[in-house]
Amino acid sequence: GENVEQHPSTLSVQEGDSAVIKCTYSDSASNYFPWYKQELGKGPQLIIDIRSNVGEKKDQRIAVTLNKTAKHFSLHITETQPEDSAVYFCAGAGSQGNLIFGKGTKLSVKP
Amino acid sequence: EPEVTQTPSHQVTQMGQEVILRCVPISNHLYFYWYRQILGQKVEFLVSFYNNEISEKSEIFDDQFSVERPDGSNFTLKIRSTKLEDSAMYFCASSEGSPNYGYTFGSGTRLTVV
């Protein structure tokens, strides 16, 4: 089955800097890769996703890149703000649509 | 914006008791899911449900677990005889398409087994 690895587990950046979180997946048949932001005590919230037929997607300060050959995808947050501080999870879609999550990255943005 | 609603937000139960966690998915969604997250760990898939039957389940989803869509709007997760290790956040999710369109999570139910 699908396995998703996520790095780093913690990331601390200064406000205004960029943050990059990387994930790898094992199942070459996976075709959907969402990123979720989870704040304390809340459910995962979708922030951006990418399907396997594109290599990059942007939404304002957030971008995701996908390298199907290498089976990895990355989240890029530019001009980070304190409110970006949260745990970020990558995921890959399994054969039935169930999401396989990475272990999460705790992002801290210092003012 | 449509949302997935879960109740209760927090449930405390004694070991061995049965619990039912409730979810109201987004109304036009066709696929329903349960996930759990043990404190400080990643979100783990439990089960997916489509067309009134389980479409996939993980190793975690053993005979103690069951799901039901009793009335066309609610989607429930039942744990028959809770164990201490069942303590976790349980998230319901739904999606409109097969299977990765409009995937939306609820806010979760924190289950504490004592």
Side-chain angles (χ1 to χ4, degrees), chain A residues 3-4 31-32 36 38 41-46 49 51 89 93-104, chain B residues 31 33 35 37 40-45 47-48 55-56 89 91 99-108 110:
Chain A
N3 184 44
V4 176
N31 60 6
Y32 176 67
Y36 287 88
Q38 187 177 31
K42 297 185 178 179
Q45 284 192 302
L46 180 70
D49 58 13
R51 300 181 194 281
F89 291 96
S95 57
Q96 295 293 324
N98 50 297
L99 294 176
I100 307 301
F101 283 80
K103 290 187 176 180
Chain B
Y31 293 79
Y33 312 86
Y35 290 79
Q37 185 179 33
Q41 299 186 24
K42 67 177 178 179
V43 179
E44 298 174 292
F45 168 73
V47 65
S48 58
S55 52
E56 191 167 5
M89 282 289 285
F91 294 106
N100 299 320
Y101 292 88
Y103 214 115
T104 305
F105 281 83
S107 296
R110 178 171 297 283

Side-chain angles (χ1 to χ4, degrees), chain B residues 24-82:
Chain B
V24 178
I26 294 173
S27 60
N28 64 333
H29 283 190
L30 302 176
Y31 293 79
F32 314 110
Y33 312 86
W34 282 100
Y35 290 79
R36 81 170 185 191
Q37 185 179 33
I38 295 171
L39 187 64
Q41 299 186 24
K42 67 177 178 179
V43 179
E44 298 174 292
F45 168 73
L46 292 179
V47 65
S48 58
F49 192 87
Y50 170 70
N51 202 25
N52 286 319
E53 61 183 21
I54 290 173
S55 52
E56 191 167 5
K57 59 184 180 180
S58 72
E59 297 170 349
I60 304 167
F61 194 87
D62 61 22
D63 292 344
Q64 293 299 313
F65 291 88
S66 62
V67 289
E68 199 175 36
R69 188 157 162 79
D71 57 12
S73 62
N74 290 285
F75 180 51
T76 61
L77 174 70
K78 182 192 291 186
I79 309 175
R80 286 189 185 80
S81 178
T82 49

Side-chain angles (χ1 to χ4, degrees), chain A residues 78-110:
Chain A
T78 58
E79 300 172 30
T80 53
Q81 300 165 3
E83 51 265 39
D84 294 330
S85 296
V87 179
Y88 291 81
F89 291 96
C90 64
S95 57
Q96 295 293 324
N98 50 297
L99 294 176
I100 307 301
F101 283 80
K103 290 187 176 180
T105 296
K106 184 175 182 180
L107 174 64
S108 300
V109 180
K110 298 181 177 178

